Amino acid sequence: MDESRYRAALDRLVEPGERVLAHARADVGGGLTPPPPPEPASTAAPGRRTVGSVLLNVLVPLATWDRGDRLVDLIGWGIAGRGAPGSAASRLHRALTPPGTDLKVRETLLAVTDRRLLVCRTGGVTLLGGREAEERALAGTEVVWAVPRAEVASARVGWHRLNPKRLRLTFADGSWLAFTVPIAESGTPLRAVAAALAG
């Protein structure tokens, strides 16, 4: 998708007088992420971590167990974020991966304004939706998480394993979450987001 089309969608989401300084399409980095924020108490019994569940998770990837998934992520991808349940990184990650998500493809957009860091999601499209579906997805873009710029302690782009384009956002509470783009794509938009947050 054309980057200028993302900009037009973002300009519709800002408050009056607020300016978008930089934006980038990115995904949460692969790897171990912060645990989700605390949820209301449930009646379900807590799961147990067993060697069998981890082994089955590796052998049968479609069968999932939370703790097994986390161990596989750690071994395969490393760490993509840290923070206590309920921290800024934990809340951001949950906003991007709500429970019970549908099977539609959505783009994640990071935008830095002169006031806030916005994290947005486009509307969902099916894999073979075509150009009209992409236009509808852009029209359905919404802010899923936002914080004042002062809540972002640092932002830097650097190497992680074989990918030289990983944006690490560290928040005032010490938690952090990483975002990446595919290796074949330019890292310039991520660097612009980091520079805008530092400026």
Side-chain angles (χ1 to χ4, degrees), residues 8 72 79 87 198:
V72 170
I79 298 173
S87 64

Side-chain angles (χ1 to χ4, degrees), residues 75-199:
I75 293 168
W77 298 98
I79 298 173
R82 288 252 166 119
S87 64
S90 169
R91 293 189 319 271
L92 170 54
H93 188 256
R94 175 48 61 101
L96 291 171
T97 56
T101 56
D102 58 23
L103 298 176
K104 294 187 176 178
V105 177
R106 300 174 195 278
E107 301 284 345
T108 300
L109 306 175
L110 305 175
V112 180
T113 74
D114 50 358
R115 302 176 194 169
R116 304 177 290 165
L117 167 67
L118 305 176
V119 181
C120 307
R121 294 297 299 266
T122 63
V125 296
T126 58
L127 286 177
L128 302 174
R131 180 104 171 136
E132 294 81 18
E134 287 182 6
E135 294 296 332
R136 285 193 304 274
L138 280 173
T141 300
E142 62 182 0
V143 177
V144 295
W145 196 79
V147 290
R149 287 180 56 163
E151 291 296 315
V152 181
S154 69
R156 64 181 175 82
V157 176
W159 279 85
H160 176 70
R161 299 199 174 181
L162 297 177
N163 191 341
K165 298 167 286 194
R166 185 167 98 149
L167 172 66
R168 178 175 163 159
L169 297 176
T170 304
F171 300 99
D173 62 5
S175 65
W176 62 273
L177 193 63
F179 290 84
T180 62
V181 294
I183 291 185
E185 292 186 17
S186 172
T188 301
L190 286 182
R191 290 185 189 90
V193 164
L197 285 167

